[in-house]
Amino acid sequence: MSAVRQVDVLVVGAGPAGLTAAATLAARGAGRIEVLERERTPGGAPRTCAHGGFGSWRRPLTGPRLARELAEAAVRAGAVVRTGVTALDWAGPLDLATVGPEGPEILRARAVVLATGARERPRAARLVPGTRPAGVYTTGELQRAVHLHRQPIGTRVVIVGAEDVSYAAADTARRAGAEVVALVTDLPTHRTAPARALDTRLRRGVPLLTGAVVAELLGHGRLSGVRVRHHDGRTAVLPCDTVVFTGDFVPEHELARRGGLVLDPRTRGPAVDGALRTSRPGVFAAGNLLHAVERAATAAREGALAAAAVTAALAAAGPGAGTAAGPGAPRPDGVPLTVDPPLRWITPSRVTPADALPYTLRTASRLTRPLLEITQGGRVLHRQRVRGAAAGRSLTLPAHWTHRVDPAGGPVRVAVR
Amino acid sequence: MTVVTTGGPLPPQPYDVAVVGAGVVGSAIARALARHPRLRVALVEAQDDVGQGTSKANTAILHTGFDAVPGSLEARLVREGARLLTAYAAESGIPVERVGALLVAWDREQLATLPRLAGKAARNDCHDTRLLGPAELYAREPHLGPGALGALHVPGESIVCPWTTTLAYATQAVRNGVHLHLECRVEQAARRDGVHELTTTRGTLRAHRLVNAAGLHADTLDRRLGLDDFTVTPRRGQLIVYDKFARSLVRHILLPVPTALGKGVLVAPTVHGNVLLGPTAEDLDDKRATGSTADGLAALREQGRRVLPALLDEEVTAVYAGLRAATGHEDYRVRAHPAQGLVTVGGIRSTGLTASLALAEHTLDLLRETGLDPGPARDLEPVRMPNLGEAFPRPYQRADLIAADPSYGTLVCHCERVSLGEIRDALAGPVPPRSLDGLRRRTRARAGRCQGFHCGAAVRALFEAGRRDAAPAPGAPAEAGGT
């Protein structure tokens, strides 16, 4: 039986959300803040993104630089960041069983912040048939292979997908010395900035196959090609030795599910309310665990908001180690917040009148300056025109209407007018 | 001094016995021969690892043999093999879980068949089967789809790790003097003055006696030796592996009631903590057609949806296809050919995993019929295999192990919780992996839901570093395993 060690707040995952939460909590004097990271270095996904596009427009950063700065900020604020330590499972309402090179340990916290991030669904989960050759990647594996381990990845690469991450994968493959044969998407067009798509197609000479799916992988031992099927049924074989499945992110929700936390059926991340509280008292969630992939800045913002909510919960529970925030601070009920098509999901997905956190929504088809209408039981709470978004991209809805929500009034819906 | 080669010349002096095919059956036979220290034995494999053919891609079930054809060789060897493998697994650390099977009847006709199947089971010496009504069935399997009318419970059916089993046999064989020659495809066979001369991709291998355990290619090898007993028709089985979150949905091996068309599609837990759905059954003529198909996967999902509707909501971790060596006969095709100094072990279907140890004993008897005097026998030092099963403590769960060596607490593959120590041990093993797939079968690294998103590059780095550190075998291919 492992000994139980008490901390104040346990943060699981040292990506932008977890590190920002930890830095904020430590700066607020929330006690002993411990961040568990199962990888050997902190920083999360940005660590593997050697390209720029992180930070702010004033102070642009590469991914690895952002990762380093976030980790340093957390440590400087007084949080303990422990790498190479895995949170295995729950050992009590706010207890986590962990293991690392120093052996097993049970950590008991007054509050837990889950910030375990997201991953791309691999070939098998997408049910792409064919043989099982070497040379099949997700962007995540590709980036680690190229940027962290300097491994050769092949010579001719097909990229499945045509969104930002797909173009990043194409850049990574080219940087590793490979030729990108094509990007393949089943959508009618790409989902990245037009300039980027044009640059890739014209200057780099990479064709974009739209309305097409990779229907079969070919080859024994090493990949020899992919069979592409167009919507009209025509098929063609693209010879290649590497294929990268990009996008289609899913929350890394193992710990959330093991704990029996209620999940949002649309995002498959834990269902949270406007204070990022999960269904288990004292357990909060932030970052890409909530909604699969959003920008590092969004994840960091959620980390900061989770920290504020944790601070409030700890204050309500009163001082002193050994007192869990959970039992002292039951989650206000709130009401479910749902979306109508073409919106795909919204997070947080519960709302209380006190909520002030902006909402993140994703749409299934392109919306140009949509008018969002928020209703409860037929009563219009709010109408607002927001910045548009392409399919698979998110838009933001401010929360200044939540005080109109009737806590006993049933679900609140968001629709596009 | 163990001998495992992947390149370079083969020893010129003839072996007493050469076993062709290092699948689960060939490896079991090599292990049985290793008990006789006077024998010089070679285990010859075309691919770069043991168990790379049919053996790696089966349904991973340790059968009771309840539904075999009574009186057949298969029925006897499965029955004996199940007992032998159960004992061997306990000794060697091969994960086995006795979860039991339920043959679920979905209509009146199937329900009416169950008592007959119970009778057949009894004739196969399986006396503990029991008929269940719907209430008890649903109590046992609460997530079963609606409409089941009853089931036959076969408590002895178990699940086993097929990769560890093959590797345990091969490891024990190699440790006890068997020469394992990998990447050594037999292309010609001739017999001169009572000695077999196998022309392989790595030169000539000589042996006084030959065991043909070449699986899908057993008919080809037989023909090269002038025999024409049977033809192997590859029968493809596609399978879907569901994520570990599906494991709580199913407690038994859920079998359909067999029909004239075959045993049908099952839903079964795996010892690695996943759920299997499959296999399809498609007769093909291409022995390399190990791909999955869109139609096959769609059909499996359709059948899985009826048996366990919630299964379809879970993520798929892996899809694979295996080829069974169907021969058009109802039984194994195992025969001694004394004039040719040959024993053919052909037509071994999915029950071969269960029957492997009994098949090995039987093959030794048949070798004696060819005039082989194996000489005195010894008991082999037991092997202890790393545990890949979820029902037993894995290294990361063992404080004692981590205290002695912190690398067992350092997780590399997070989905499957594979530690640095296990990967290091596998790379240093007597039969080391030659590819990342081989490493996966030894450790489960990269076998999980992320399929390498998180750990793939790190595992590859460890694998490639491990290969660089290992003393290179003469003529070993310089190329790394790739991903």
Side-chain angles (χ1 to χ4, degrees):
Chain A
M1 190 61 212
S2 310
V4 177
R5 184 163 62 82
Q6 176 84 43
V7 298
D8 290 292
V9 185
L10 197 56
V11 180
V12 186
L19 289 171
T20 307
T24 312
L25 283 161
R28 288 174 181 225
R32 183 179 170 92
I33 316 299
E34 197 158 303
V35 187
L36 302 181
E37 171 55 54
R38 61 189 193 179
E39 300 273 341
R40 282 196 293 184
T41 44
R47 201 165 53 87
T48 67
C49 302
H51 52 84
F54 294 89
S56 63
W57 65 270
R58 262 173 206 280
R59 207 168 152 269
L61 297 173
T62 65
R65 182 69 192 271
L66 174 76
R68 211 158 48 236
E69 292 197 359
L70 288 172
E72 283 163 8
V75 172
R76 207 164 44 238
V80 177
V81 180
R82 294 172 65 216
T83 58
V85 179
T86 305
L88 297 167
D89 204 352
W90 301 87
L94 293 171
D95 295 357
L96 281 168
T98 69
V99 75
E102 275 128 53
E105 186 176 41
I106 290 175
L107 288 173
R108 174 165 298 165
R110 300 173 65 211
V112 174
V113 179
L114 297 179
T116 48
R119 63 182 165 85
E120 288 161 301
R121 295 174 78 225
R123 175 259 180 116
R126 302 182 197 212
L127 290 175
V128 177
T131 54
R132 300 180 72 194
V136 183
Y137 289 85
T138 47
T139 317
E141 182 177 0
L142 180 82
Q143 285 176 331
R144 285 165 202 247
V146 173
H147 299 314
L148 298 186
H149 294 278
R150 314 272 170 219
Q151 289 162 351
I153 52 128
T155 58
R156 286 174 59 81
V157 182
V158 168
I159 309 277
V160 182
E163 50 195 285
D164 289 339
V165 65
S166 324
Y167 284 87
D171 290 344
T172 301
R174 281 194 316 100
R175 194 183 300 197
E179 177 197 351
V180 179
V181 178
L183 282 86
V184 182
T185 174
D186 59 344
L187 297 172
T189 182
H190 62 79
R191 279 178 178 175
T192 191
R196 185 176 204 183
L198 210 62
D199 181 70
T200 303
R201 191 159 62 80
L202 296 181
R203 200 158 66 82
R204 310 277 184 217
V206 177
L208 170 66
L209 306 185
T210 57
V213 294
V214 168
E216 187 183 2
L217 302 194
L218 309 167
H220 292 276
R222 181 83 195 190
L223 185 72
S224 64
V226 298
R227 191 182 304 283
V228 173
R229 194 180 56 241
H230 291 266
H231 281 176
D232 61 10
R234 284 178 300 135
T235 68
V237 171
L238 298 180
C240 60
D241 58 14
T242 304
V243 60
V244 187
F245 288 89
T246 72
D248 198 357
F249 285 89
V250 287
E252 199 62 271
H253 61 200
E254 179 174 10
L255 217 46
R257 277 194 77 174
R258 278 177 176 269
L261 271 54
V262 174
L263 299 188
D264 180 336
R266 295 171 195 252
T267 61
R268 313 211 87 183
V272 290
D273 65 13
L276 300 182
R277 283 177 285 232
T278 70
S279 60
R280 178 179 291 191
V283 178
F284 299 74
N288 285 333
L289 166 64
L290 291 179
H291 39 50
V293 158
E294 292 292 332
R295 300 174 59 245
T298 306
R301 187 186 69 200
E302 287 166 356
L305 289 161
V310 169
T311 313
L314 291 177
T323 320
R331 171 158 105 156
D333 279 343
V335 295
L337 183 59
T338 62
V339 292
D340 290 348
L343 298 174
R344 279 179 56 209
W345 51 254
I346 187 166
T347 178
S349 58
R350 295 187 77 82
V351 55
T352 62
D355 290 347
L357 175 66
Y359 293 85
T360 305
L361 294 91
R362 198 159 292 186
T363 160
S365 57
R366 173 175 284 279
L367 299 175
T368 314
R369 290 208 30 85
L371 179 68
L372 298 183
E373 185 178 82
I374 301 155
T375 57
Q376 185 178 33
R379 183 169 64 94
V380 176
L381 302 182
H382 183 64
R383 278 201 191 94
Q384 185 175 3
R385 207 168 278 287
V386 298
R387 200 167 54 82
R393 295 216 166 185
S394 53
L395 38 97
T396 305
L397 171 68
H400 49 67
W401 46 270
T402 53
H403 64 277
R404 296 204 177 88
V405 171
D406 175 2
V412 173
R413 313 189 70 85
V414 182
V416 179
R417 290 285 167 241
Chain B
M1 170 74 189
T2 63
V3 176
V4 181
T5 70
T6 54
L10 299 162
Q13 61 274 46
Y15 288 97
D16 293 310
V17 186
V19 181
V20 179
V24 72
V25 173
S27 299
I29 293 167
R31 175 192 163 274
L33 288 165
R35 283 205 312 258
H36 300 275
R38 222 165 63 194
L39 293 180
R40 285 187 74 247
V41 179
L43 178 59
V44 181
E45 168 57 44
Q47 303 200 58
D48 67 358
D49 198 2
V50 300
Q52 276 267 59
T54 298
S55 299
K56 76 173 181 191
N58 59 20
T59 45
I61 290 173
L62 207 169
H63 297 279
T64 55
F66 78 94
D67 58 347
V69 176
S72 65
L73 178 66
E74 183 179 18
R76 173 165 75 84
L77 295 181
V78 168
R79 192 164 61 238
E80 291 174 12
R83 207 183 58 242
L84 292 171
L85 181 52
T86 303
Y88 183 75
E91 173 188 289
S92 316
I94 298 167
V96 172
E97 289 181 54
R98 195 174 187 264
V99 291
L102 294 170
L103 273 103
V104 181
W106 295 95
D107 60 35
R108 294 266 147 223
E109 201 181 322
Q110 291 175 4
L111 193 64
T113 312
L114 294 183
R116 195 159 48 75
L117 284 165
K120 187 179 182 183
R123 288 207 298 289
N124 281 318
D125 247 2
C126 182
H127 298 286
D128 54 356
T129 65
R130 204 161 61 83
L131 293 167
L132 306 183
E136 197 177 346
L137 171 59
Y138 280 96
R140 281 181 171 274
E141 288 291 355
H143 297 280
L144 196 67
L149 303 178
L152 180 68
H153 183 211
V154 188
E157 292 279 299
S158 306
I159 53 178
V160 63
C161 176
W163 307 325
T164 314
T165 304
T166 307
L167 189 65
Y169 297 161
T171 300
Q172 210 173 15
V174 164
R175 280 208 183 129
N176 288 282
V178 171
H179 293 188
L180 172 61
H181 298 301
L182 299 166
E183 299 190 53
C184 190
R185 184 181 301 279
V186 176
E187 297 185 320
Q188 308 275 345
R191 195 151 186 258
R192 269 183 263 283
D193 306 328
V195 176
H196 290 281
E197 289 189 5
L198 302 180
T199 310
T200 77
T201 43
R202 289 177 47 198
T204 305
L205 187 132
R206 292 183 182 79
H208 292 290
R209 293 205 173 52
L210 206 59
V211 175
N212 176 0
L216 286 174
H217 305 284
D219 57 342
T220 312
L221 183 57
D222 253 16
R223 287 209 181 89
R224 286 190 177 131
L225 298 162
L227 297 163
D228 192 4
D229 278 0
F230 60 90
T231 298
V232 175
T233 309
R235 180 173 296 160
R236 180 165 60 192
Q238 302 182 39
L239 294 113
I240 299 177
V241 183
Y242 281 90
D243 187 59
K244 298 194 178 337
F245 284 115
R247 178 63 184 83
S248 59
L249 297 175
V250 57
R251 298 171 185 172
H252 306 73
I253 301 161
L254 300 178
L255 302 168
V257 175
T259 67
L261 295 170
K263 289 185 180 177
V265 170
L266 59 82
V267 175
T270 75
V271 291
H272 312 122
N274 298 77
V275 175
L276 260 187
L277 170 62
T280 59
E282 312 150 66
D283 285 330
L284 309 171
D285 29 68
D286 180 0
K287 290 177 178 173
R288 276 164 61 87
T290 52
S292 54
T293 64
D295 290 348
L297 300 183
L300 285 182
R301 283 160 55 83
E302 204 44 57
Q303 298 183 67
R305 194 187 307 278
R306 170 156 198 200
V307 177
L308 209 61
L311 186 63
L312 277 288
D313 294 334
E314 297 296 343
E315 290 274 14
V316 169
T317 298
V319 170
Y320 63 92
L323 300 175
R324 291 97 106 184
T327 57
H329 294 271
E330 272 299 298
D331 205 352
Y332 293 161
R333 310 297 289 167
V334 182
R335 233 186 105 185
H337 304 280
Q340 280 94 344
L342 168 74
V343 175
T344 298
V345 189
I348 311 299
R349 287 88 57 97
S350 71
T351 52
L353 170 60
T354 304
S356 51
L357 288 173
L359 270 163
E361 296 303 323
H362 186 56
T363 303
L364 228 62
D365 291 342
L366 294 178
L367 277 169
R368 288 192 182 93
E369 281 181 27
T370 69
L372 178 78
D373 172 16
R378 59 181 168 178
D379 283 337
L380 297 177
E381 181 94 357
V383 279
R384 196 71 205 166
M385 302 303 290
N387 168 42
L388 304 188
E390 283 299 303
F392 309 91
R394 300 267 315 283
Y396 78 89
Q397 294 168 314
R398 292 182 49 192
D400 57 330
L401 212 55
I402 301 170
D405 183 347
S407 63
Y408 292 110
T410 305
L411 298 193
V412 178
C413 167
H414 306 295
C415 301
E416 295 294 316
R417 300 183 168 176
V418 182
S419 64
L420 185 62
E422 291 164 276
I423 292 174
R424 180 203 58 206
D425 294 350
L427 292 170
V431 185
R434 255 91 195 166
S435 69
L436 286 171
D437 282 345
L439 181 61
R440 178 175 43 115
R441 289 193 295 273
R442 284 161 178 77
T443 62
R444 287 171 44 184
R446 296 175 86 253
R449 62 174 71 92
C450 92
Q451 293 279 299
F453 175 95
H454 294 295
C455 72
V459 172
R460 179 179 164 189
L462 290 171
F463 172 74
E464 287 172 0
R467 293 206 62 174
R468 275 196 303 275
D469 293 347
E479 182 203 347
T483 55

